[in-house]
Amino acid sequence: MFDAAIASAQPAVCIPPHLPESPRGRLIVVGAGKASAAMARVVEDHWQGPLSGLVVTRYGYAVPCRHIEIVEAAHPVPDAAGMRAAQRILELVGNLQQDDLVLCLISGGGSALMPLPAAGLTLDMKQQVSRALLASGATISEMNCVRRHLSAIKGGRLGAACFPAQVLTLLISDVPGDRPVDIASGPTVADPTTCADALGIVHRYGIKPPREVLELLQSGRGESVKPGDPRLRHAKVRTIATPQMALEAAAAVARAAGMPAHILGDAIEGEARDVGKVFAGMALQVAARNQPVSAPCVLLSGGETTVTVRGSGRGGRNVEFLLSLAIALEGNGRIHALAGDTDGVDGQEEIAGAYMSPDSLARARALGLSPKDMLDDNDAHRFFTALGDSVVTGPTLTNVNDFRAILIEAEPAA
């Protein structure tokens, strides 16, 4: 099911139906995200005329292209390579004509991969804010609101820079709700949020940014491009792959194997450990009482939980969810689960997620591990690695957010 979810969102599947007609002028391809290089390769493979451009992707996610330059940069904490790539993308779309077309390829991870600071800020300042946001427990929508208002390219600024050229943005969504303004912080779409909203988020999570960041937000100088801005009147957006589509592909695999599948939601948010407890309660109700659905079945969900890092462990929202789930289930013999990020990276680890079996806790304790202590220390990656139950995919070249599957077996016959 996890493989099917990832396969459904591959650029080779979802890009070709959405390619535009050839413009009368030039075609410039730009983009950012963990899938952007793979997206660029598909565009090249299916495009008949001339094209050029540049996209930036995560280290290890490059796909060779003939005409579109591929740049690799850091994620989730940005680096200088991403900053330089963002500057070059802005330069590429400068001085275009109305007959030109900018094809913008955007997928999850683009916020960190295009870290061009607003005037008066430095990359180091953005890195400080990024680290604080990642550890704060803020939702992806909140993090991207702050990012948009500290940027020289996000929050509609790239789209405005393309004017008067036509702009078509193809999005692979990795955010709950599939809101274009939140996918890579919306470089080509209008942003209804404000500097005041971003400042409120900074204060809400107790983040202490550099003085220059506070001044930018307090003064309103970081304001993004707003709805109705005439510079975006030639900009169109199409969402070509979503978490819901991936969950439906996974459900089809389960049903083909004779296992009923139920999608609980594609936009689940909240603290990963809390979501794990809630999902354990639902799974136990199904197993014990056949409510609200009957076993055997699979419960599927997507979205993006958060981790407020308080311990010294390696974090990872999918494995933290899974360890919390395991503790709440306490070795129920009929319940298995898998949780993973469809981009192949859970948190800052080169591990997609993990698998939980009914005997996970017992095997861990036999190794001298304390599941509850490891959860308290945000150390779930080490827990599942020690069991040999990490799920490692390598770069998947797509990103449609988190995938969670809980399999509940039938009650044994009496």
Side-chain angles (χ1 to χ4, degrees), residues 25-394:
R26 303 162 58 201
L27 176 68
I28 306 295
V29 180
V30 298
K34 296 172 188 172
S36 64
M39 296 168 81
R41 175 61 178 268
V42 174
V43 171
E44 283 197 347
D45 289 345
H46 290 81
W47 194 258
Q48 300 301 314
L51 76 167
S52 62
L54 183 154
V55 304
V56 55
T57 192
R58 189 179 190 267
Y59 289 117
Y61 282 60
V63 175
C65 291
R66 299 179 300 279
H67 308 292
I68 301 167
E69 183 180 352
I70 308 299
V71 175
E72 291 182 302
H75 177 280
V77 178
D79 68 358
M83 182 178 69
R84 290 191 296 268
Q87 181 61 55
R88 292 182 59 203
I89 286 172
L90 278 183
E91 292 167 358
L92 277 175
V93 302
N95 301 314
L96 295 179
Q97 305 301 313
Q98 188 167 345
D99 286 343
D100 297 329
L101 171 64
V102 177
L103 182 60
C104 189
L105 308 175
I106 296 294
S107 62
S111 290
L113 294 166
M114 290 195 298
L116 190 62
L121 303 186
T122 66
L123 177 62
D124 179 68
M125 293 172 190
K126 294 204 71 172
Q127 289 170 330
Q128 290 181 50
V129 174
S130 291
R131 291 188 184 99
L133 285 168
L134 288 166
S136 71
T139 67
I140 188 62
S141 178
E142 290 171 325
M143 286 193 281
N144 285 352
C145 176
V146 175
R147 288 163 163 166
R148 286 194 295 273
H149 292 92
L150 306 181
S151 176
I153 193 169
K154 297 187 275 282
R157 295 176 181 88
L158 174 59
C162 296
F163 185 80
Q166 310 296 309
V167 180
L168 174 61
T169 302
L170 301 183
L171 298 173
I172 294 181
S173 172
D174 72 323
V175 300
D178 305 325
R179 295 177 295 273
V181 73
D182 282 330
I183 303 169
S185 298
T188 61
V189 299
D191 173 27
T193 67
T194 65
C195 281
D197 294 326
L199 191 62
I201 293 164
V202 167
H203 292 324
R204 186 178 312 139
Y205 289 97
I207 293 169
K208 306 296 184 185
R211 173 182 53 81
E212 293 87 349
V213 169
L214 279 179
E215 191 277 330
L216 183 83
L217 296 178
Q218 290 168 343
S219 68
R221 287 194 301 106
E223 209 50 84
S224 50
V225 179
K226 297 296 176 240
D229 192 298
R231 295 172 296 173
L232 297 181
R233 67 174 181 264
H234 297 156
K236 298 179 181 178
V237 176
R238 294 179 191 167
T239 303
I240 61 173
T242 66
Q244 177 66 20
M245 293 162 60
L247 293 174
E248 289 173 356
V253 169
R255 291 165 186 155
M259 180 69 69
H262 307 281
I263 298 175
L264 303 181
D266 69 336
I268 306 297
E269 296 184 271
E271 277 287 328
R273 64 182 62 198
D274 296 336
V275 176
K277 291 178 186 176
V278 171
F279 277 47
M282 287 190 283
L284 290 169
Q285 187 75 0
V286 172
R289 305 187 187 280
N290 287 317
Q291 294 175 333
V293 295
S294 298
C297 67
V298 175
L299 307 180
L300 296 170
S301 65
E304 185 163 327
T305 60
T306 53
V307 174
T308 302
V309 179
R310 297 186 176 92
S312 59
R314 293 146 59 191
R317 60 184 183 262
N318 287 287
V319 289
E320 183 142 324
F321 159 86
L322 204 59
L323 181 52
S324 176
L325 178 82
I327 291 169
L329 293 174
E330 192 51 61
N332 185 290
R334 294 165 49 203
I335 302 176
H336 308 248
L338 184 147
D341 198 321
T342 55
D343 66 5
V345 180
D346 189 29
Q348 299 187 49
E349 295 292 322
E350 303 297 321
I351 297 171
Y355 163 69
M356 184 214 79
S357 64
D359 65 349
S360 289
L361 294 187
R363 288 188 290 128
R365 288 167 180 149
L367 294 173
L369 302 176
S370 170
K372 289 184 179 178
D373 287 347
M374 297 183 80
L375 181 62
D376 289 342
D377 201 31
N378 304 116
D379 207 11
H381 268 305
R382 187 165 69 90
F383 178 90
F384 288 106
T385 299
L387 298 182
D389 288 340
S390 296
V391 173
V392 180
T393 62

